[in-house]
């Protein structure tokens, strides 16, 4: 068949990896912004906002990401809007990560002790000031490890974008393999590239978890 | 002049549990009142009702002219006038001592940088902690943390200060330094309502002592009342049988 694995194939795979990273970053940024709004709505004093976002999370978490991608690519095209594979994949990943990050961050906000809210309330800070100056800075530190952990999930799940023809790392692997038919070698390289992207995130996440005394930037004498 | 705190027939239930069962008493400006009683007698709930951390079910509560029992009370103004110090300190762990104390003046009182610094440093000087300005709470002893919490409250320049078992988490040595600061405040004319288990402090510093039992004011009197309890319950509480 089409010859053996050469440097052109490797460059093609690397390009795929770059697109995987790009898709992940896009999804993480837009999913993060939306997820932050979702998490704030989940702890809002307004019952309606809490219920709506709870339903949103339930709905998204109960739907396979693959189906979300199909829905946004084929479904929206049928409705008459031209959607590129990148846009469809990005939208699907955004929706997906906003629901999960929203729920992770809600947990982080709620794990800031109630006494902290109370102390801020008695100072007296307004609700927005309490959130911004007291609760979020503490929740942010609690949130770092699970957030880094979830980013690993986005990197890997971005491979599902291959089903709508978006050439990220997995799709690039399929294309190279179709031409030279060396599945073991090709997908081994693909796997190593995924690992190389995920490992720093896992490492970072673990480092956050094991670091103790996170508030002490100054050493006690 | 009318009392700075007026509590009149206040009731509060947690589900079926009657926590406050008709509490009534007044506190005059500049008075220091210690509240003692067994756990579950309602003293903490009463204290927390004064700045509306707990909503009462029935009765009338007026603090510094704010009708706390009225649902439309201005909470912001009420809490600017009434400071509270908690058993578990509740300092903000992500902020330094200076930032903890400055947060109220800067954000709630909207003061400028220079004035905020002046007020926070004066408050920290009153609790003898000026040398700890730039450390984080976790680097301080419990007694120091509680003194920072007192300074944080003082920096709001409140008219009344509430103390909710502020030494219960401290060993006797650290308890002493916190009580010392509170005694200075009392001598400086601060109106204080102090829920405490420190009988000696109550006797020495308070103008009057309130003994609470079953969600009511059971006895009220000067420090000497602990040596001459009128009721069986207070006699049992102070261990004179």
């Amino acid at each position: 068949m089409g010859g053996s694995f050469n440097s052109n194939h490797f460059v093609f795979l690397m390009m795929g990896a770059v697109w995987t990273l790009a898709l992940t970053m896009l999804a993480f940024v837009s999913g993060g912004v939306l997820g932050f709004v979702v998490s704030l709505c989940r702890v809002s004093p307004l019952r309606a906002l809490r219920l709506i976002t709870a339903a949103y999370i339930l709905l998204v978490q109960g739907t396979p990401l693959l189906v979300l991608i199909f829905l946004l690519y084929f479904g929206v095209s049928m409705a008459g809007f031209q959607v590129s594979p990148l846009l469809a994949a990005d939208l699907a990943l955004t929706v997906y990560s906003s629901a999960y990050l929203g729920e992770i961050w809600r947990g982080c906000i709620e794990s800031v002790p109630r006494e902290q809210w109370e102390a801020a309330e008695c100072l007296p800070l307004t609700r927005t000031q309490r959130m911004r100056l007291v609760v979020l800075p503490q929740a942010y530190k609690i949130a770092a490890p699970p957030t880094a952990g979830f980013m690993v999930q986005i990197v890997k799940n971005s491979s599902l974008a291959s089903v709508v023809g978006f050439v990220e790392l997995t799709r690039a692997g399929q294309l190279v393999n179709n031409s030279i038919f060396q599945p073991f070698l090709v997908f081994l390289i693909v796997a190593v590239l995924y690992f190389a992207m995920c490992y720093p995130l896992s490492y970072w996440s673990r480092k956050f978890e094991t670091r103790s005394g996170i508030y002490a930037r100054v050493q006690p004498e | 002049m009318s009392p700075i705190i007026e509590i009149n027939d206040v009731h509060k239930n947690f589900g079926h549990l009657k926590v406050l069962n008709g509490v009534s008493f007044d506190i005059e400006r500049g008075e220091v009142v210690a509240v003692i009683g067994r756990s579950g007698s309602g003293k903490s709930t009463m204290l927390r009702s004064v700045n509306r951390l707990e909503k009462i079910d029935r009765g009338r509560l007026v603090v510094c002219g704010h009708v706390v029992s009225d649902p439309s009370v201005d909470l912001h103004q009420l809490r600017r006038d009434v400071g509270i110090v908690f058993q578990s300190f509740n300092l903000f762990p992500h902020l330094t001592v200076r930032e903890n104390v400055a947060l109220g003046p800067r954000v709630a009182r909207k003061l400028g940088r220079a004035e905020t610094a002046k007020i926070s440093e004066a408050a920290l000087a009153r609790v003898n902690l000026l040398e700890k300005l730039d450390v984080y709470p976790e680097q301080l002893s419990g007694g120091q943390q509680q003194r920072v919490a007192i300074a944080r409250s003082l920096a709001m320049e409140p008219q009344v200060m509430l103390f909710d078992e502020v030494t219960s988490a401290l060993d006797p040595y650290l308890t002493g330094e916190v009580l010392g600061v509170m005694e200075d405040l009392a001598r400086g004319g601060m109106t204080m309502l102090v829920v405490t288990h420190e009988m000696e402090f109550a006797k020495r510093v308070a103008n009057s002592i309130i003994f609470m039992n079953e969600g009511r004011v059971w006895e009220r009197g000067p420090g000497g009342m602990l040596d001459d309890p009128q009721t069986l319950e207070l006699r049992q509480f102070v261990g004179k049988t």
Side-chain angles (χ1 to χ4, degrees):
Chain A
M1 291 228 251
S4 62
F5 191 82
N6 61 36
S7 62
N8 288 336
H9 295 131
F10 187 72
V11 169
F12 190 69
L13 289 181
M14 286 301 286
M15 287 302 292
V18 168
W19 277 110
T20 288
L21 269 186
L23 181 58
T24 303
M25 292 307 290
L26 267 175
F28 181 73
V29 170
S30 47
V33 170
L34 192 58
F36 182 62
V37 174
V38 167
S39 68
L40 288 183
C41 290
R42 286 288 286 132
V43 297
S44 158
L46 300 174
R47 199 176 132 83
L49 275 184
R50 286 203 307 272
L51 287 180
I52 292 169
T53 43
Y56 172 76
I57 290 170
L58 209 62
L59 212 65
V60 176
Q61 291 195 339
T63 318
L65 178 58
L66 190 58
V67 173
L68 273 179
I69 294 176
F70 279 145
L71 203 65
L72 284 162
Y73 187 62
F74 298 114
V76 175
S77 303
M78 291 291 281
F81 299 98
Q82 199 56 49
V83 182
S84 72
L86 172 62
L87 183 61
D90 179 42
L91 282 178
L93 278 168
T94 297
V95 168
Y96 170 80
S97 14
S98 70
Y100 280 89
L101 287 175
E103 195 68 350
I104 291 171
W105 291 342
R106 174 193 63 84
C108 296
I109 290 172
E110 286 180 346
S111 66
V112 174
R114 205 175 61 94
E115 287 78 14
Q116 289 286 315
W117 283 93
E118 238 171 36
E121 193 181 335
C122 290
L123 213 42
L125 305 186
T126 65
R127 200 190 142 76
T128 316
Q129 291 167 341
R130 293 202 290 273
M131 202 52 151
R132 186 167 56 86
L133 299 167
V134 174
V135 177
L136 287 181
Q138 295 183 60
Y140 159 79
K141 292 188 166 147
I142 305 170
T147 304
F150 183 72
M151 275 187 83
V152 172
Q153 299 294 319
I154 310 183
V155 172
K156 291 187 291 183
N157 283 336
S158 69
S159 64
L160 290 172
S162 60
V163 296
V164 291
F166 179 66
V167 187
E168 39 63 72
L169 181 52
T170 299
R171 184 73 187 139
Q174 286 171 342
L175 292 175
V176 170
N177 184 52
N178 286 348
S179 100
I180 61 174
F181 200 67
Q182 291 181 7
F184 187 72
L185 177 67
V186 171
F187 288 110
L188 187 67
I189 294 171
V190 167
V192 168
L193 287 175
Y194 271 114
F195 181 79
M197 286 187 272
C198 292
Y199 182 73
L201 289 171
S202 307
Y203 176 79
W204 184 46
S205 149
R206 226 171 312 126
K207 215 177 120 187
F208 261 112
E209 262 171 48
T210 51
R211 202 194 305 175
S212 58
I214 40 181
Y215 296 114
R217 275 170 267 166
V218 190
Q219 287 298 310
E221 54 277 50
Chain B
M1 216 165 69
S2 60
I4 193 163
I5 298 181
E6 295 176 61
I7 301 181
N8 199 349
D9 196 28
V10 163
H11 291 255
K12 165 86 184 170
N13 295 350
F14 286 129
H16 291 299
L17 188 69
K18 278 192 161 125
V19 192
L20 299 182
N21 197 8
V23 175
S24 302
F25 63 87
D26 291 347
I27 296 180
E28 302 294 331
R29 191 174 288 273
E31 216 180 350
V32 175
V33 174
V35 183
I36 59 172
R38 298 175 51 186
S39 304
S41 59
K43 51 194 195 309
S44 268
T45 306
M46 181 275 296
L47 189 88
R48 289 165 58 87
S49 303
V50 170
N51 79 340
R52 215 158 183 270
L53 278 175
E54 305 286 353
K55 282 180 202 151
I56 60 171
D57 299 335
R58 196 147 59 79
R60 188 174 157 81
L61 219 163
V62 184
V63 182
C64 304
H66 309 292
V67 185
V68 182
S69 44
D70 179 349
S72 64
V73 63
D74 182 349
L75 277 182
H76 192 79
Q77 208 50 49
L78 169 71
R79 286 170 181 165
R80 278 199 50 174
D81 290 341
V82 183
I84 184 166
V85 184
F86 302 94
Q87 179 178 346
S88 49
F89 328 139
N90 305 349
L91 293 177
F92 305 127
H94 60 296
L95 301 179
T96 63
V97 164
R98 183 204 299 272
E99 292 164 341
N100 262 281
V101 178
L103 197 59
R106 184 170 62 82
V107 178
R109 294 174 67 188
K110 299 188 171 63
L111 299 178
R113 189 180 293 268
E115 206 170 348
T116 296
K118 206 179 84 194
I119 288 174
S120 345
E121 280 169 30
L124 281 163
R126 282 181 82 174
V127 300
N128 306 315
L129 273 177
L130 264 184
E131 78 280 10
K132 297 288 184 186
L133 280 176
D134 293 308
V135 305
Y136 286 84
E138 66 174 10
Q139 297 166 261
L140 298 173
S141 73
Q144 291 171 331
Q145 289 192 42
Q146 194 58 293
R147 280 148 61 199
V148 174
I150 292 174
R152 179 173 68 177
S153 220
L154 277 177
M156 289 304 291
E157 299 180 339
Q159 299 190 41
V160 176
M161 282 185 75
L162 311 174
F163 294 84
D164 190 5
E165 294 193 27
V166 294
T167 57
S168 299
L170 303 175
D171 68 33
Y173 180 75
L174 298 178
T175 295
E177 63 180 52
V178 171
L179 292 182
V181 164
M182 289 167 67
E183 204 168 336
D184 286 346
L185 281 182
R187 248 185 269 123
M190 177 65 77
T191 309
M192 292 162 61
L193 185 56
V194 185
V195 168
T196 186
H197 290 303
E198 299 294 329
M199 295 302 149
E200 284 311 311
F201 175 80
K203 256 197 237 180
R204 194 176 68 245
V205 180
N207 302 106
S208 72
I209 298 179
I210 287 175
F211 171 60
M212 281 188 70
N213 192 42
E214 294 178 4
R216 259 185 235 143
V217 175
W218 212 256
E219 273 192 51
R220 178 173 183 173
M225 90 173 189
L226 296 184
D227 300 319
D228 179 25
Q230 299 302 303
T231 57
L232 174 66
E233 287 77 9
L234 180 56
R235 209 169 306 143
Q236 285 172 339
F237 182 72
V238 296
K240 288 194 190 327
T241 41

